[in-house]
Amino acid sequence: MHDVRTVRTPSLLWLAAASLTGTAIEFYDFYVYGTAAALVLGPLFFPTVSPVAGTLAAFGTFAVGFVARPLGSALFGHIGDRRGRRPVLVASLLLTGTATVAVGCVPTYDTIGVAAPVLLLVLRFLQGLGLGGEWGGAVLLATEHAPPGRRVLWSSFPQIGPPLGFLLANSVVLGLSATLSDAQFASWGWRVPFWGAGVLAAAGLWLRSSLTESPRFLEIDDHARVPLAEVVRGHWRLVLLTAGALAVGYAVFYTVTTWSLAYATERLGVSRPVMLTCVMATVVVTGALTPLPALLGDRYGRRPLCLAGCAGVVLWTFPMIALFATGEPLLMFLGFLGAMLALLMMFAVIAAYLPELYEPRLRCTGAAVGYNLGGVLGGALTPIVATTLAAHGGRVPWGVGAYLTAMALLSLGCFALLPETRPAAAAVPEATPSTG
């Protein structure tokens, strides 16, 4: 067994800042693709089909990133459970950053034909592979360094990274949209955010180079030989429940931040800058409020907040759709904000909740695979399903509201079947085996 007394415990503030910055950079890479898919990739890489079919095809390449994420979780989870959490953070950031820069260099269909969407598909897969390892490593370093009574609070800082990454990605796109003509943006402007990922990745690698390994990992003297095999064999039910529980979070987030951009600009006549501003304002507010429900999670437990968040989505989905369909910026913002605040109740505590469901020797793989399978179920399909449902309806896409409500009910049921993990509610919180 490793001697944990020799481990230097880093400043929790520095650790939180490094985790937050890293997740922000990696999710910037992931989100900038989603924004481009909603706005320009269809005509540039799938010009031989109708506009709706082109958007669906672009969202199809978007979905490939989500399919790759569970595979990345298995790959990097193996490293995290066998070699440590810290190597995962470096390798995943390097892979995602390189793939994102390469997307900005891919010639369009008019230049190289069918090879263009094929290259796009491969690079999106590599993006997803890298991001699949990022979340598990980042939240485990924060969670396993934090004191038991403040795990949710400190693990919520990496959860602020995705909203910051989204804000950064869309700020760049909004700035380009405001300064370039539509022809310039479609010709070369859309590539700039992808090229910028290289600079961000270099900065993130420098920042993470000073992090030390998790003391909880160094205490483990019985590392799993094949973590994924043990997770599948002994905890498959827990993986499926967590995937189903998280599906609504992805569904709501990508409805608001990705599908709505395409629908509003194509069907409601809302300009690209107005839509980006509405969505960005929503993400700014929810990102800033993340620590508040995290404090509640430390005090009252993880599961009650997750149940409350799912119930909030059920109650607010149809009002959100009605407000969105007006095309009025303030009403759209209010609709989006209500849904995202409901989502925040779950999002703020999940980084502590999922790892606590698994024993330490398997949690890098188990938590990350469950988290990213939820992305396949809720994130990969949502823009495609929502676009299909909206194409067969009127101005108000009620079918999208029904789909989100169904996802929220699914997640509500899954959370109801999961146990509470708050230390005061568990007999031996760090040693209790996973619920299989």
Side-chain angles (χ1 to χ4, degrees), residues 95-139:
L95 175 59
T96 307
T98 302
T100 304
V101 173
V103 169
C105 301
V106 176
T108 62
Y109 186 94
D110 289 341
T111 303
I112 60 173
V114 71
V118 171
L119 284 173
L120 201 65
L121 201 69
V122 171
L123 292 172
R124 179 60 174 173
F125 180 87
L126 293 176
Q127 258 194 333
L129 202 68
L131 191 65
E134 162 64 27
W135 184 85
V139 301

Side-chain angles (χ1 to χ4, degrees), residues 262-408:
Y263 187 83
T265 54
E266 295 171 8
R267 297 283 296 275
L268 302 180
V270 181
S271 70
R272 183 189 303 148
V274 168
M275 271 309 299
L276 286 172
T277 301
C278 285
V279 173
M280 287 167 58
T282 304
V283 173
V284 167
V285 174
T286 53
L289 294 176
T290 299
L292 297 181
L295 289 170
L296 295 177
D298 275 323
R299 184 180 179 97
Y300 298 108
R302 292 67 160 132
R303 185 167 165 268
L305 270 76
C306 293
L307 293 171
C310 292
V313 173
V314 171
L315 296 173
W316 187 249
T317 292
F318 283 106
M320 179 194 74
I321 294 295
L323 292 169
F324 169 60
T326 65
E328 295 294 329
L330 180 58
L331 295 179
M332 290 192 297
F333 166 72
L334 292 175
F336 293 158
L337 183 62
M340 292 291 282
L341 288 177
L343 170 62
L344 182 61
M345 300 293 285
M346 175 187 74
F347 185 74
V349 304
I350 207 67
Y353 191 22
L354 257 63
E356 289 172 344
L357 288 168
Y358 293 87
E359 57 194 291
R361 63 192 295 273
L362 298 174
R363 63 172 45 145
C364 194
T365 300
V369 169
Y371 182 85
N372 287 296
L373 280 177
V376 176
L377 182 59
L381 299 178
T382 291
I384 298 172
V385 172
T387 300
T388 304
L389 292 173
H392 296 88
R395 179 182 175 88
V396 183
W398 296 119
V400 178
Y403 170 74
L404 291 179
T405 301
M407 294 297 286

Side-chain angles (χ1 to χ4, degrees), residues 239-251:
V239 171
L240 294 180
L241 283 176
T242 53
L246 292 169
V248 66
Y250 285 99

